[in-house]
Structures are given as structure tokens and as C-alpha cells.
Amino acid sequence: MAVMIAPSILAADFAKLGEEVRLVENAGAKMLHIDIMDGHFVPNISIGPGVVQSLRKVSKLEFDVHLMIENPERYIEEFATAGADIITVHIEATRHIYRLIQQIKALGIKVGVSLNPATPLDLLTYILQELDMVLLMTVNPGFGGQKFIPEVLPKIVALSGIIKEVNPNCKIQVDGGINTDTARLVSRAGAEILVAGAAVFAAPDPQTAMKEILQAAEEEQQSRNR
Ligand code: DX5
Ligand code: ZN
């Protein structure tokens, strides 16, 4: 699969969110990463389903909703109705991950499971075959603009090997501290969907920034496949 950038609106200007989304859509983005934070699972608070619903009216992008909330099972239906195309839940946020995965799939949308930097891959053993995407956090979730954690790189390599055997259609997404330099590292390791917040929206020209990150990732992926 071709590598892809999913811009994270967490770093966008919320006073002109629609315009910011249009900007990355026009620059060729296919997926929009939407971070939901509740002030409990992570220290920060972001947005809720109402904003997703408003954005749905102005964008055709694939909405990739990253739930960093406790009791995610309570809100799945609301985010699906608001327009999520894929919902990613944290394995650390629920006691019943298998049930939660089935709950999301039953709504006819894609499902992702996210692991914090220190959470081992073993927890995916009995659910991987059910997933469309695994999100490996490359920062501690909660804030944009943090530094990439390089210890996650061998985890991406290991997951990439497992996925080939168990569920080749499942995508590896990475999130946190992605810029042109780290995009090369994660692509080489096997990541296919790169979330980028600050490196896109805090750049002087977000469209060029997004294209440059994509180009760096593509170059690396090609040399990996050679
Ligand atoms: C962090 C969020 C990320 C965040 C990434 O908890 O899940 O999606 O927006 O931001 P950057 O790319 O700035 O590290
Ligand atoms: Zn995220």
C-alpha cells in the first residue's frame, strides 16, 4: 500500500476549522485525523461529536476519529452518527476490547486499536484479525507538538512482520512527532499512515509541508521495497 499522510486538526486554527480542512483536502489528503480527548484518559480536552458533525458537512475526506477517552463504548454510536469513517480506541481505555471492536464494526464503519508507547504488542494477539488499523502512538497521547519517541521504531518493525502473517489488510498508523525526518524513520520501519499535526498546520505553508512529509515517506518506502 502507498504511504499516506493524515493531517491532525488538533494543530489547526479552530477559529477557521472548515478552511483548514479544505486546505489539506486540496493538497491531496485522503484522510483527516480527528483527536478526541476527555481530560481523563489524557490530561487535555479537545472536541466532541458536534464538531465532527459540522465538519462532515464541508468535507468528503475519510474521517479518522482517534478516541482518547475513558468509557469509549458510551460514545461510539454518537461519533459514527456524526460522520466517523473509522474509529480508533485505546486498548488501555477499556476492559472489553473485543466487545468494543464488535460494537464499532456493527455500525458498518472501520475499526482501529491504539497502543500507547509502553503498551506491548502481545495485547493484539487475539484481536488483530478483526482490525482495519493499528495505531502505534509515537508520543504519549494528549498533546500536539511533542517529541517523537524513537523506542517505538522496533515496535513498528515487529508489528509489520506480524501483520503480514495474520492480517495483511490491516494498516499500521503512527501518531505523534511526525515531521520530514521522523516520517523517513517510521516508513522505513513499516508504517503506512502517518498522522501529522504541528508539522502540517503550524508550518508557514501547510500544503507544501504536507507534500514534503509525504515525499520523504514515499522515498523511504520505495527504498525499503527495493
Ligand atoms: C496526540 C494526538 C495526535 C496529535 C499529533 O495525543 O493523538 O494526533 O495531534 O500531533 P503532532 O503531529 O503535532 O505530534
Ligand atoms: Zn491522534
Side-chain angles (χ1 to χ4, degrees), residues 8 10 33 35 37 66 68 137 141-145 175-177 195-198:
S8 163
L10 191 66
H33 187 80
D35 288 303
M37 305 178 180
H66 178 195
M68 287 162 277
M137 291 305 301
F143 300 93
D175 184 7
V195 174

Side-chain angles (χ1 to χ4, degrees), residues 86-112:
I86 172 160
I87 293 183
T88 298
V89 289
H90 270 264
I91 202 159
E92 305 87 356
T94 179
R95 285 198 187 93
H96 299 289
I97 188 69
Y98 197 91
R99 181 192 290 157
L100 185 52
I101 291 165
Q102 302 310 328
Q103 190 188 347
I104 297 170
K105 290 174 94 161
L107 294 166
I109 58 173
K110 292 187 195 168
V111 59

